[in-house]
Amino acid sequence: MGKISLYGLDASPPTRACLLTLKALELPFEYVFVNLLTKENFAEDYMKKNPQHTVPMLQDDDDYIWDSHAIMAYLVGKYAETDELYPKDLLQRAVVDQRMHFESGVIFEGALRRLTRPVLFLGGTTLPQANVDEVNEVYDFLETFLDNDFVAGDHLTIADFSIVSSISSLGVYLEHDPVKYPKTAAWLERLKELPYYEEANGSGATQFMQLIKSKNFTIVP
Ligand SMILES: N[C@@H](CCC(=O)N[C@@H](CS)C(=O)NCC(=O)O)C(=O)O
């Protein structure tokens, strides 16, 4: 087994998706803190490894991989004893992939980053109500996906890790209503029962929410 390092920080949802995967696989790894607020991700050395300057980034010996979804799929493919977390069956894999693209394009880019970037990195003091309202669209979709206990079927996959990392952070802008979204609420509780949940995702989600709340911004019509 190669030497694995994960570059990132607990407040970052996609970093946490990778932490959940590393913990689920019980892989030993070095965790390298990258401070986005002081722009460590724009350092020359980091940019050489990941020109997109994002976290998380995985180092496996001399290879570098970024984007949480690619990292999770790689870790399961290379190190897991079974394919349960990322099924090889084409149809099952397609469902996992669809959920992960949903996380990437709709939850993370479309909702979470759109709301976070202005207040965290651009010094913005207002957020449009319309952007906050769009969070409900994410909750609507997720609720319809949850026909089973997990987002891509009847067992845990990396799609759950991906989606829980951002859903557990989105609440800082708009909490999901457990009465309107009972399947989502039950799924979240199910994920919280994982023995490594708090360490890998829960505490980082709290950090993220505290960071956002520490910024003075108002939601405007
Ligand atoms: N889709 C990517 C998103 C990565 C991303 O945008 N990460 C944020 C932190 S949560 C970041 O690195 N922002 C700093 C930047 O883009 O320079 C993934 O899943 O890894």
Side-chain angles (χ1 to χ4, degrees):
M1 190 185 145
K3 179 178 181 281
I4 296 176
S5 304
L6 183 73
Y7 293 72
L9 73 166
D10 284 2
S12 150
T15 299
R16 285 186 257 122
C18 295
L19 288 172
L20 284 163
T21 308
L22 286 161
K23 292 285 174 190
L25 297 175
E26 298 181 1
L27 291 173
F29 66 100
E30 176 197 24
Y31 191 21
V32 184
F33 176 69
V34 181
N35 191 340
L36 298 186
L37 297 176
T38 58
K39 299 200 181 307
E40 278 178 9
N41 53 322
F42 287 90
E44 197 183 331
D45 190 45
Y46 194 85
M47 295 271 286
K48 256 190 225 154
K49 295 167 182 158
N50 171 3
Q52 206 182 330
H53 52 75
T54 51
V55 294
M57 174 175 74
L58 185 83
Q59 178 173 8
D60 189 357
D61 281 338
D62 296 330
D63 295 313
Y64 298 94
I65 301 163
W66 65 94
D67 191 282
S68 59
H69 314 86
I71 293 170
M72 289 188 287
Y74 172 83
L75 287 172
V76 175
K78 184 158 181 195
Y79 295 111
E81 280 168 13
T82 72
D83 69 345
E84 206 173 318
L85 284 170
Y86 191 44
K88 289 198 175 103
D89 174 87
L90 279 183
L91 207 54
Q92 285 184 41
R93 177 162 291 205
V95 178
V96 175
D97 286 341
Q98 181 272 318
R99 303 308 197 233
M100 291 203 294
H101 284 291
F102 174 73
E103 193 284 333
S104 186
V106 180
I107 312 182
F108 186 83
E109 282 299 326
L112 193 54
R113 192 162 185 264
R114 200 161 164 213
L115 291 164
T116 302
R117 204 163 170 261
V119 293
L120 198 54
F121 296 111
L122 306 178
T125 52
T126 59
L127 281 180
Q129 181 70 50
N131 291 6
V132 175
D133 290 344
E134 273 171 23
V135 171
N136 268 322
E137 225 171 81
V138 167
Y139 294 147
D140 285 341
F141 280 127
L142 182 57
E143 187 73 9
T144 64
F145 295 165
L146 280 162
D147 287 337
N148 291 288
D149 280 357
F150 296 94
V151 297
D154 60 6
H155 68 268
L156 186 72
T157 66
I158 54 176
D160 292 286
F161 294 156
S162 180
I163 293 183
V164 82
S165 72
S166 42
I167 285 290
S168 59
S169 307
L170 257 187
V172 72
Y173 301 108
L174 184 68
E175 281 287 357
H176 73 273
D177 174 356
V179 176
K180 192 172 170 202
Y181 303 106
K183 292 179 186 171
T184 301
W187 165 78
L188 206 50
E189 288 309 310
R190 213 167 283 129
L191 270 273
K192 284 182 183 170
E193 279 165 18
L194 295 170
Y196 46 85
Y197 178 87
E198 188 52 32
E199 186 191 352
N201 189 65
S203 67
T206 304
Q207 274 182 37
F208 171 83
M209 292 196 270
Q210 282 168 349
L211 187 61
I212 299 300
K213 283 180 188 157
S214 74
K215 302 283 160 192
N216 278 329
F217 67 93
T218 44
I219 296 170
V220 292

